[in-house]
Amino acid sequence: MDRTRRTICATGPLAAALALVGCATSGSSGTVGSREAAIAELGGTGKLRAAINLGNPILASRAANGDLQGVSVDLAREAARRLALTPELVPFTSAGSVVEAVKGRQVDLAFVAIDPVRAADMEYTAPYVIIEGAYLVRHDSALQRNEEVDRTGTRVVVGRGSAYDLFLTRELRAATLVRAPTSPAVTDMFLAERLDVAAGVRQQLEADARRVGGVRLLPGRFMVIEQAMGVPKGRGAARTWLSGFIEEMKASGFVADALRRHGIEGAGVAPPMRT
């Protein structure tokens, strides 16, 4: 919705959602007015359509019964509860497809890594989780340090459209980027095509190393990834309300509890937003 159109005449499911705002239970983020404006921008369908990226195992995965689970799932459901909207979890297999869904306004919010390229089509909250990007090589690789990767002739495979893809596209000067369809497909493509380096989220690469054997992670990290909530460009009221919501979820321990509950290691709760 256009920023200037903050006063609306709502009907149907949106009107019902707005009427329920006053009945929302404990833990309301922001003022009633800001919440109403957020509902107007996020709840046009009567639902909160949240993009869930299954390509990043720190954020989300499928349980044994097929249900979606993870810190992003928990945050989406809690935000929907506070906005008196029905949560609709929309799964995707890659960050790139999530970003396209936000640009196409097929979803109302997403959980994505902050990146200046994406900011052209998306408004971010402050980050709620910080994770690390790492490199994977074969045991017999001559590469020993992250700084050695950016050399002529080195081929680095990365998930298309991921935060790592966007970052390395800007940062690598000599190495060649090769793009896999999704982040979970990176290691298999790295092995199948005899590439030199696989790049991605540390936890995914660690799991892949245990699965395939004969590989190792380079020490340290090549980037820090800030994961935030994002909404389509122009939905300033939604971003403002979600920003307050995220800060409350960090301060209350909700994010830390979700990471522990889902067995996520190596990811940390982002620090409070600087004011």
Side-chain angles (χ1 to χ4, degrees):
M1 178 174 290
D2 188 274
R3 286 175 183 264
T4 62
R5 295 183 61 197
R6 297 294 174 83
T7 303
I8 63 169
C9 283
T11 59
L14 179 55
L18 288 167
L20 284 171
V21 164
C23 301
T25 56
S26 63
S28 297
S29 295
T31 65
V32 171
S34 65
R35 192 165 62 250
E36 287 180 346
I39 292 171
E41 292 185 348
L42 292 170
T45 64
K47 299 178 180 180
L48 184 64
R49 301 171 301 171
I52 303 298
N53 179 18
L54 295 174
N56 187 334
I58 286 184
L59 302 185
S61 62
R62 286 196 183 275
N65 64 0
D67 289 346
L68 297 175
Q69 62 180 6
V71 61
S72 62
V73 172
D74 293 347
L75 286 169
R77 286 174 171 155
E78 180 64 12
R81 184 187 73 81
R82 295 185 180 211
L83 292 169
L85 295 170
T86 301
E88 180 178 324
L89 305 177
V90 186
F92 293 88
T93 59
S94 70
S97 57
V98 168
V99 172
E100 289 303 310
V102 173
K103 289 169 61 175
R105 299 180 182 250
Q106 299 166 347
V107 295
D108 303 305
L109 67 85
F111 298 85
V112 292
I114 295 174
D115 187 273
V117 172
R118 294 172 178 169
D121 302 292
M122 194 180 306
E123 307 220 13
Y124 296 116
T125 66
Y128 61 93
V129 163
I130 294 176
I131 60 179
E132 296 181 342
Y135 288 134
L136 180 81
V137 299
R138 292 175 180 77
H139 273 317
D140 61 0
S141 172
L143 297 172
Q144 299 296 325
R145 299 184 302 119
N146 292 322
E147 295 77 12
E148 298 171 356
V149 168
D150 192 14
R151 293 178 176 174
T152 301
T154 300
R155 297 167 301 163
V156 182
V157 59
V158 67
R160 184 181 302 278
S162 67
Y164 323 102
D165 181 6
L166 299 177
F167 177 83
L168 293 174
T169 296
R170 292 191 299 271
E171 297 298 320
L172 293 183
R173 297 292 180 265
T176 300
L177 273 183
V178 180
R179 293 172 176 87
T182 66
S183 291
V186 162
T187 297
D188 289 338
M189 185 170 175
F190 160 74
L191 294 172
E193 299 192 12
R194 298 292 301 174
L195 301 172
D196 303 296
V197 179
V201 61
R202 173 175 296 279
Q203 285 76 4
Q204 177 71 61
L205 296 179
E206 288 174 339
D208 288 344
R210 293 190 294 270
R211 173 174 62 89
V212 303
V215 296
R216 58 184 168 85
L217 271 71
L218 296 184
R221 64 197 185 195
F222 69 84
M223 70 177 296
V224 174
I225 303 145
E226 296 180 318
Q227 292 286 342
M229 275 184 166
V231 297
K233 197 75 171 179
R235 294 186 179 180
R239 181 194 57 77
T240 298
W241 186 88
L242 288 170
S243 292
F245 168 76
I246 284 296
E247 293 307 307
E248 185 178 337
M249 293 298 95
K250 292 188 294 189
S252 69
F254 184 101
V255 175
D257 289 344
L259 292 172
R260 283 193 294 270
R261 186 167 59 255
H262 297 294
I264 301 301
E265 299 179 355
V269 180
M273 180 175 61
R274 293 187 296 272
T275 58

CSV table of all heavy atoms in Angstrom, one decimal, residues 8-24 39 43-47 83-86:
chain,number,residue,atom,x,y,z
A,8,ILE,N,-7.9,3.9,5.8
A,8,ILE,CA,-8.6,3.1,4.8
A,8,ILE,C,-10.0,2.7,5.3
A,8,ILE,O,-10.3,2.8,6.4
A,8,ILE,CB,-7.8,1.7,4.6
A,8,ILE,CG1,-7.8,0.9,5.9
A,8,ILE,CG2,-6.4,2.0,4.1
A,8,ILE,CD1,-7.2,-0.5,5.7
A,9,CYS,N,-10.8,2.3,4.3
A,9,CYS,CA,-12.1,1.7,4.7
A,9,CYS,C,-12.0,0.3,4.4
A,9,CYS,O,-12.0,-0.1,3.2
A,9,CYS,CB,-13.2,2.3,3.8
A,9,CYS,SG,-13.8,4.0,4.4
A,10,ALA,N,-11.9,-0.6,5.4
A,10,ALA,CA,-11.6,-2.0,5.2
A,10,ALA,C,-12.9,-2.8,5.3
A,10,ALA,O,-13.8,-2.4,6.0
A,10,ALA,CB,-10.7,-2.5,6.3
A,11,THR,N,-13.0,-3.8,4.4
A,11,THR,CA,-14.1,-4.7,4.4
A,11,THR,C,-13.6,-6.1,4.4
A,11,THR,O,-12.4,-6.4,4.2
A,11,THR,CB,-15.0,-4.5,3.2
A,11,THR,OG1,-14.2,-4.7,2.0
A,11,THR,CG2,-15.6,-3.1,3.2
A,12,GLY,N,-14.5,-7.1,4.6
A,12,GLY,CA,-14.1,-8.5,4.6
A,12,GLY,C,-13.1,-8.9,5.6
A,12,GLY,O,-13.2,-8.4,6.8
A,13,PRO,N,-12.2,-9.8,5.3
A,13,PRO,CA,-11.3,-10.3,6.3
A,13,PRO,C,-10.4,-9.3,6.9
A,13,PRO,O,-10.0,-9.4,8.0
A,13,PRO,CB,-10.5,-11.4,5.5
A,13,PRO,CG,-10.7,-11.1,4.0
A,13,PRO,CD,-12.0,-10.4,4.0
A,14,LEU,N,-10.0,-8.2,6.1
A,14,LEU,CA,-9.2,-7.2,6.7
A,14,LEU,C,-9.9,-6.4,7.8
A,14,LEU,O,-9.4,-6.1,8.8
A,14,LEU,CB,-8.7,-6.2,5.6
A,14,LEU,CG,-7.8,-5.1,6.1
A,14,LEU,CD1,-6.6,-5.6,6.8
A,14,LEU,CD2,-7.4,-4.2,4.9
A,15,ALA,N,-11.2,-6.1,7.6
A,15,ALA,CA,-12.0,-5.4,8.6
A,15,ALA,C,-12.1,-6.3,9.8
A,15,ALA,O,-11.9,-5.8,11.0
A,15,ALA,CB,-13.4,-5.1,8.1
A,16,ALA,N,-12.3,-7.6,9.7
A,16,ALA,CA,-12.3,-8.5,10.8
A,16,ALA,C,-11.0,-8.5,11.6
A,16,ALA,O,-11.0,-8.4,12.8
A,16,ALA,CB,-12.7,-9.9,10.4
A,17,ALA,N,-9.9,-8.5,10.8
A,17,ALA,CA,-8.6,-8.5,11.5
A,17,ALA,C,-8.4,-7.2,12.3
A,17,ALA,O,-7.9,-7.2,13.4
A,17,ALA,CB,-7.5,-8.6,10.4
A,18,LEU,N,-8.8,-6.0,11.7
A,18,LEU,CA,-8.6,-4.8,12.4
A,18,LEU,C,-9.5,-4.7,13.6
A,18,LEU,O,-9.1,-4.2,14.7
A,18,LEU,CB,-9.0,-3.6,11.4
A,18,LEU,CG,-8.0,-3.3,10.3
A,18,LEU,CD1,-8.6,-2.4,9.3
A,18,LEU,CD2,-6.7,-2.7,10.9
A,19,ALA,N,-10.7,-5.3,13.5
A,19,ALA,CA,-11.6,-5.3,14.7
A,19,ALA,C,-11.0,-6.1,15.8
A,19,ALA,O,-11.2,-5.8,17.0
A,19,ALA,CB,-12.9,-5.8,14.3
A,20,LEU,N,-10.3,-7.2,15.5
A,20,LEU,CA,-9.7,-8.0,16.5
A,20,LEU,C,-8.4,-7.5,17.1
A,20,LEU,O,-8.0,-8.0,18.2
A,20,LEU,CB,-9.3,-9.4,15.8
A,20,LEU,CG,-10.5,-10.3,15.6
A,20,LEU,CD1,-10.0,-11.5,14.7
A,20,LEU,CD2,-11.1,-10.8,16.9
A,21,VAL,N,-7.9,-6.4,16.6
A,21,VAL,CA,-6.7,-5.8,17.1
A,21,VAL,C,-6.9,-5.5,18.6
A,21,VAL,O,-6.0,-5.7,19.4
A,21,VAL,CB,-6.2,-4.6,16.3
A,21,VAL,CG1,-5.2,-3.8,17.1
A,21,VAL,CG2,-5.7,-5.0,15.0
A,22,GLY,N,-8.0,-4.9,18.9
A,22,GLY,CA,-8.2,-4.5,20.3
A,22,GLY,C,-8.3,-5.7,21.2
A,22,GLY,O,-8.2,-5.5,22.5
A,23,CYS,N,-8.5,-6.9,20.7
A,23,CYS,CA,-8.7,-8.1,21.5
A,23,CYS,C,-7.4,-8.8,21.6
A,23,CYS,O,-7.3,-9.9,22.2
A,23,CYS,CB,-9.8,-9.0,21.0
A,23,CYS,SG,-11.4,-8.2,20.9
A,24,ALA,N,-6.3,-8.3,21.0
A,24,ALA,CA,-5.0,-9.0,21.0
A,24,ALA,C,-4.5,-9.2,22.4
A,24,ALA,O,-4.7,-8.3,23.2
A,24,ALA,CB,-4.0,-8.3,20.1
A,39,ILE,N,-1.2,-3.8,10.0
A,39,ILE,CA,-2.2,-4.8,9.5
A,39,ILE,C,-2.8,-4.4,8.1
A,39,ILE,O,-3.0,-5.2,7.2
A,39,ILE,CB,-3.4,-4.9,10.5
A,39,ILE,CG1,-2.9,-5.6,11.8
A,39,ILE,CG2,-4.6,-5.7,9.9
A,39,ILE,CD1,-3.9,-5.6,12.9
A,43,GLY,N,-2.0,-7.4,5.9
A,43,GLY,CA,-3.1,-8.3,6.0
A,43,GLY,C,-4.2,-8.1,5.0
A,43,GLY,O,-5.4,-8.4,5.3
A,44,GLY,N,-3.9,-7.7,3.8
A,44,GLY,CA,-4.9,-7.5,2.8
A,44,GLY,C,-5.7,-8.7,2.4
A,44,GLY,O,-6.8,-8.6,2.0
A,45,THR,N,-5.1,-9.9,2.6
A,45,THR,CA,-5.8,-11.1,2.3
A,45,THR,C,-6.5,-11.7,3.5
A,45,THR,O,-7.1,-12.8,3.4
A,45,THR,CB,-4.8,-12.2,1.7
A,45,THR,OG1,-3.8,-12.5,2.8
A,45,THR,CG2,-4.1,-11.6,0.5
A,46,GLY,N,-6.3,-11.1,4.7
A,46,GLY,CA,-6.8,-11.7,5.9
A,46,GLY,C,-5.8,-12.6,6.5
A,46,GLY,O,-6.1,-13.2,7.6
A,47,LYS,N,-4.7,-12.9,5.8
A,47,LYS,CA,-3.7,-13.8,6.3
A,47,LYS,C,-2.3,-13.0,6.3
A,47,LYS,O,-2.2,-12.0,5.6
A,47,LYS,CB,-3.5,-15.0,5.4
A,47,LYS,CG,-4.8,-15.8,5.3
A,47,LYS,CD,-4.6,-17.0,4.4
A,47,LYS,CE,-5.9,-17.8,4.3
A,47,LYS,NZ,-5.7,-19.0,3.3
A,83,LEU,N,-0.8,-9.7,15.4
A,83,LEU,CA,-1.6,-8.9,14.4
A,83,LEU,C,-3.0,-9.4,14.2
A,83,LEU,O,-3.7,-8.8,13.4
A,83,LEU,CB,-0.8,-8.8,13.1
A,83,LEU,CG,0.5,-8.1,13.1
A,83,LEU,CD1,1.3,-8.3,11.8
A,83,LEU,CD2,0.3,-6.6,13.3
A,84,ALA,N,-3.3,-10.5,14.9
A,84,ALA,CA,-4.7,-11.1,14.8
A,84,ALA,C,-4.9,-11.5,13.3
A,84,ALA,O,-6.0,-11.3,12.8
A,84,ALA,CB,-5.8,-10.1,15.3
A,85,LEU,N,-3.9,-12.0,12.7
A,85,LEU,CA,-4.0,-12.5,11.3
A,85,LEU,C,-3.7,-14.0,11.3
A,85,LEU,O,-3.0,-14.5,12.2
A,85,LEU,CB,-3.0,-11.8,10.4
A,85,LEU,CG,-3.2,-10.3,10.2
A,85,LEU,CD1,-2.0,-9.7,9.4
A,85,LEU,CD2,-4.5,-10.1,9.4
A,86,THR,N,-4.2,-14.7,10.3
A,86,THR,CA,-4.0,-16.1,10.2
A,86,THR,C,-2.6,-16.3,9.5
A,86,THR,O,-2.4,-15.8,8.4
A,86,THR,CB,-5.1,-16.8,9.3
A,86,THR,OG1,-6.3,-16.6,10.0
A,86,THR,CG2,-4.8,-18.3,9.2
